[in-house]
Amino acid sequence: MSIVLGIESSCDETSASICIDGKIVSNIIANQTIHEQYGGVVPELASRVHQQNIVPAVAQAISAAKINKKDIDAVAFTRGPGLLGSLLVGTSFSKAFALASNIPLIEVNHMQAHILAHFIDDPKPQFPFLCLTVSGGHTQIVLVKDYFEMEIVGETLDDAAGEAFDKTAKILNLPYPGGPLIDKYAKLGNAERFKFPEPQIANLNFSFSGLKTAILYFVRDNVAKNPDFLTENLEDICASVQQRIVSILLNKLQKAVIQYQVTGIAIAGGVSANSGLRNSLLALGEKNNWDVFIPKFEYCTDNAAMIAMAGYYKYLKQDFVGQDVAPLARMPF
Ligand code: KG4
Ligand code: ZN
């Protein structure tokens, strides 16, 4: 029997989870609301709130799992990528916990963990599969050959898909984080109403900065003609922008399927919570006979269950790190 404690603190969610023999039995997520008033995550504030939240989050994860602290066999933590100050809180806590309990320490790559969230519930994908990982900081197409054998075959050259959503929301005067709000308004709008450009990039890489500029000019020009343009057309703008972001993502995914001849397709990361992306991927998968894997909402955005799950697979391999481990803001696979 193995009990792994997972700790996530890479951005603005403090999360702790317990995994018993490969099954997630608790997943506590403490969200930070302080950033809303600043229109984005303020790194210094994020690390301070992590410090306040981490002990109660771990205590709750342990009690919800109905285990005792001394039953834990290993601590898995997000080493990177992420905000250094935020990562430092989770890393320091995990090192201290491992030292005090005399148990091994397991480092986890946050982006790999988003993908391994697909192994929390059934049905699980079979290797190899392709995963479109779309979050606030990353947009990647990953060829997943095994639990920890992953190759990035396409990625963004500028903004991430989540940033494209959040920056669009800012242009539309919506609060941060705007992705979920665009999703909400898009459901009520006409996606064919406005046309936004699709970048022409030959390989499997993405670019979202041109789209952001196009939206900025589109809004500026229309508001100059009609000051109420935004409020009168918010739903149609959101639907049209969302459709374009989704088509940019799925067109590249289709290309990757042809190039790699793999038909197991997964999505991961915060933007995989987007209903437009989920529905369009399901439809595309049905049309092309793909095996599509879409995570539960609670495992799309940042959470420690995915860290505990990745930690469990590393625990099986006895893949541990020493007390000298330090967090990495940028962390390759
Ligand atoms: O994976 P995540 O929680 O954190 C990072 O590691 O970045 O992703 C956060 C991103 C934010 O940009 C947020 O706006 C976006 O995911 N997001 C969404 C939705 N839910 C979260 N974007 C579009 N539609 C959603 N429903
Ligand atoms: Zn994430």
Side-chain angles (χ1 to χ4, degrees), residues 162-193:
E163 262 179 301
F165 273 106
D166 295 339
K167 287 179 177 173
T168 301
K170 212 168 192 168
I171 297 169
L172 303 180
N173 294 330
L174 297 172
Y176 178 87
L181 287 172
I182 295 201
D183 192 355
K184 185 178 137 196
Y185 291 117
K187 284 186 186 136
L188 307 167
N190 172 8
E192 305 303 325
R193 175 94 185 280

Side-chain angles (χ1 to χ4, degrees), residues 24-41:
I24 297 298
V25 292
S26 67
N27 181 35
I28 304 297
I29 303 172
N31 300 109
Q32 303 184 359
T33 49
I34 192 165
H35 308 288
E36 277 166 21
Q37 59 188 295
Y38 300 100
V41 177

Side-chain angles (χ1 to χ4, degrees), residues 110-164:
H110 181 88
M111 300 313 294
Q112 286 193 339
H114 268 302
I115 296 172
L116 295 175
H118 283 285
F119 293 85
I120 294 174
D121 290 321
D122 288 326
K124 298 175 172 56
Q126 306 247 302
F127 300 116
F129 64 95
L130 283 166
C131 186
L132 173 69
T133 315
V134 271
S135 71
H138 294 82
T139 298
Q140 302 171 332
I141 298 178
V142 181
L143 179 61
V144 188
K145 299 170 192 166
D146 205 341
Y147 296 108
F148 300 102
E149 209 190 321
M150 304 185 186
E151 185 190 340
I152 298 170
V153 297
E155 62 189 327
T156 186
L157 304 173
D158 40 56
D159 291 347
E163 262 179 301

Side-chain angles (χ1 to χ4, degrees), residues 6-257:
I7 304 282
E8 157 64 27
S9 75
S10 66
C11 190
D12 60 343
E13 259 96 28
T14 320
S15 183
S17 167
I18 296 287
C19 177
I20 303 181
D21 285 338
K23 294 261 169 298
I24 297 298
V25 292
S26 67
N27 181 35
I28 304 297
I29 303 172
N31 300 109
Q32 303 184 359
T33 49
I34 192 165
H35 308 288
E36 277 166 21
Q37 59 188 295
Y38 300 100
V41 177
V42 183
E44 177 58 31
L45 294 178
S47 51
R48 284 190 217 174
V49 183
H50 280 307
Q51 283 182 340
Q52 291 162 4
N53 287 350
I54 196 150
V55 172
V58 170
Q60 279 182 47
I62 290 172
S63 89
K66 298 187 174 63
I67 58 158
N68 199 296
K69 197 165 78 175
K70 64 176 182 356
D71 302 330
I72 296 170
D73 296 303
V75 191
F77 68 99
T78 304
R79 185 180 180 196
L83 301 170
L84 200 56
S86 291
L87 291 165
L88 206 49
V89 178
T91 306
S92 309
F93 177 92
S94 303
K95 284 162 77 168
F97 191 101
L99 194 64
S101 312
N102 196 24
I103 54 175
L105 198 55
I106 299 168
E107 66 168 40
V108 173
N109 180 306
H110 181 88
M111 300 313 294
Q112 286 193 339
H114 268 302
I115 296 172
L116 295 175
H118 283 285
F119 293 85
I120 294 174
D121 290 321
D122 288 326
K124 298 175 172 56
Q126 306 247 302
F127 300 116
F129 64 95
L130 283 166
C131 186
L132 173 69
T133 315
V134 271
S135 71
H138 294 82
T139 298
Q140 302 171 332
I141 298 178
V142 181
L143 179 61
V144 188
K145 299 170 192 166
D146 205 341
Y147 296 108
F148 300 102
E149 209 190 321
M150 304 185 186
E151 185 190 340
I152 298 170
V153 297
E155 62 189 327
T156 186
L157 304 173
D158 40 56
D159 291 347
E163 262 179 301
F165 273 106
D166 295 339
K167 287 179 177 173
T168 301
K170 212 168 192 168
I171 297 169
L172 303 180
N173 294 330
L174 297 172
Y176 178 87
L181 287 172
I182 295 201
D183 192 355
K184 185 178 137 196
Y185 291 117
K187 284 186 186 136
L188 307 167
N190 172 8
E192 305 303 325
R193 175 94 185 280
F194 303 111
K195 288 274 165 269
F196 294 104
E198 173 152 11
Q200 302 302 315
I201 297 183
N203 50 26
L204 295 177
N205 289 335
F206 301 92
S207 168
F208 288 100
S209 65
L211 176 63
K212 178 188 63 191
T213 311
I215 296 165
L216 188 68
Y217 290 162
F218 164 83
V219 169
R220 187 196 62 186
D221 295 349
N222 281 289
V223 169
K225 285 184 251 163
N226 168 14
D228 295 327
F229 177 76
L230 275 188
T231 41
E232 285 171 7
N233 298 285
L234 187 63
E235 291 158 357
D236 290 347
I237 301 171
C238 287
S240 303
V241 169
Q242 178 170 297
Q243 171 161 289
R244 175 51 78 213
I245 294 175
V246 169
S247 79
I248 292 172
L249 294 171
L250 293 185
N251 285 346
K252 291 290 175 163
L253 196 55
Q254 265 181 296
K255 266 192 169 179
V257 169

Side-chain angles (χ1 to χ4, degrees), residues 278-323:
R278 293 166 89 96
N279 293 338
S280 301
L281 177 59
L282 279 174
L284 197 62
E286 204 152 301
K287 191 173 131 204
N288 291 299
N289 245 341
W290 297 346
D291 263 334
V292 171
F293 297 89
I294 295 179
K296 270 193 197 159
F297 281 111
E298 62 180 304
Y299 301 138
C300 289
T301 45
D302 290 348
N303 66 87
M306 66 186 195
I307 306 301
M309 202 66 220
Y312 166 73
Y313 288 114
K314 285 203 170 181
Y315 184 81
L316 295 181
K317 298 197 304 170
Q318 304 275 292
D319 186 352
F320 306 137
V321 290
Q323 281 286 332

